[in-house]
Amino acid sequence: MNCDSNWIDNQALSLESVFTGDYKSKITTTHGIYYSSLTVHDLLNRACIRYASTMEGRLQATRIFMNYPKKTPILIEPSEIGAFPTMSYQHAECVWLFNHHFHVEELDKGKSRVTFRNGTSLIVHVSKHVLLKQQHRLHFTLDTYRIIQRDKKRYIANDDSKPESE
């Protein structure tokens, strides 16, 4: 398994397609920019597999549970690492932004600059409104899964019923 997907972790800021030489994707993290010969989809899928699911499985679960049929956020490691697409993930200009806080500046109609806390910025071809809506959806999904996991742990810890012995 190609190790490039290991860059998809809690330090990842964005993931986008590139078409330069042998590279198919650009991974921007809090500690630098990396290029991969794997596609964005392959990188995300391999990152999800590290946490016992596929990208399609994660997308399907979020679509059903959160009722987000389009531009669905993905939880790579549920309640910890997530990302959202700026447009349909099948579109070549789709950029995946991860669960880090950022500032958005609308440059033109349908064109915005995203700037992360560490000063890293990138231009995306979507409106500020779309970016903020997608960011909200991702953080709401992450929070929902955190609450589910917390409540599940409480329920299990407080479950004092024991199976009957034969």
Side-chain angles (χ1 to χ4, degrees):
M1 193 147 123
N2 192 309
C3 293
D4 290 353
S5 68
N6 289 331
W7 292 115
I8 308 300
D9 62 9
N10 62 355
Q11 302 300 305
L13 298 173
S14 67
L15 178 59
E16 58 191 298
S17 295
V18 295
F19 306 98
T20 309
D22 294 334
Y23 298 120
K24 295 180 182 170
S25 56
K26 176 182 172 183
I27 308 158
T28 303
T29 72
T30 57
H31 42 78
I33 296 174
Y34 304 90
Y35 292 88
S36 175
S37 60
L38 296 174
T39 65
V40 167
H41 184 273
D42 287 340
L43 287 168
L44 288 171
N45 191 50
R46 289 175 188 219
C48 288
I49 289 170
R50 283 199 319 265
Y51 299 100
S53 186
T54 61
M55 179 180 170
E56 289 303 319
R58 297 278 191 219
L59 285 170
Q60 183 179 9
T62 303
R63 281 182 186 130
I64 293 168
F65 190 72
M66 300 299 292
N67 195 27
Y68 296 151
K70 295 181 181 176
K71 293 190 269 186
T72 307
I74 185 171
L75 300 184
I76 295 163
E77 180 184 2
S79 76
E80 294 298 324
I81 303 169
F84 67 83
T86 56
M87 57 186 66
S88 169
Y89 75 91
Q90 296 168 342
H91 196 283
E93 287 189 355
C94 176
V95 176
W96 287 84
L97 298 176
F98 288 79
N99 55 306
H100 290 268
H101 292 287
F102 56 78
H103 172 75
V104 182
E105 176 187 359
E106 189 132 32
L107 301 175
D108 203 355
K109 184 175 173 133
K111 184 177 179 181
S112 302
R113 176 181 292 120
V114 174
T115 305
F116 295 95
R117 285 185 177 166
N118 70 350
T120 301
S121 66
L122 68 146
I123 307 292
V124 292
H125 296 281
V126 293
S127 70
K128 179 178 181 175
H129 172 77
V130 166
L131 288 169
L132 295 177
K133 179 181 176 182
Q134 285 297 96
Q135 181 186 43
H136 172 77
R137 290 169 99 189
L138 172 61
H139 287 279
F140 185 69
T141 303
L142 283 162
D143 288 345
T144 299
Y145 275 85
R146 282 186 193 117
I147 290 167
I148 289 168
Q149 291 303 310
R150 182 193 66 209
D151 290 350
K152 185 170 118 180
K153 287 177 186 175
R154 270 193 211 144
Y155 174 77
I156 292 169
N158 293 329
D159 185 11
D160 51 7
S161 64
K162 304 213 186 297
E164 294 179 23
S165 23
E166 294 180 27

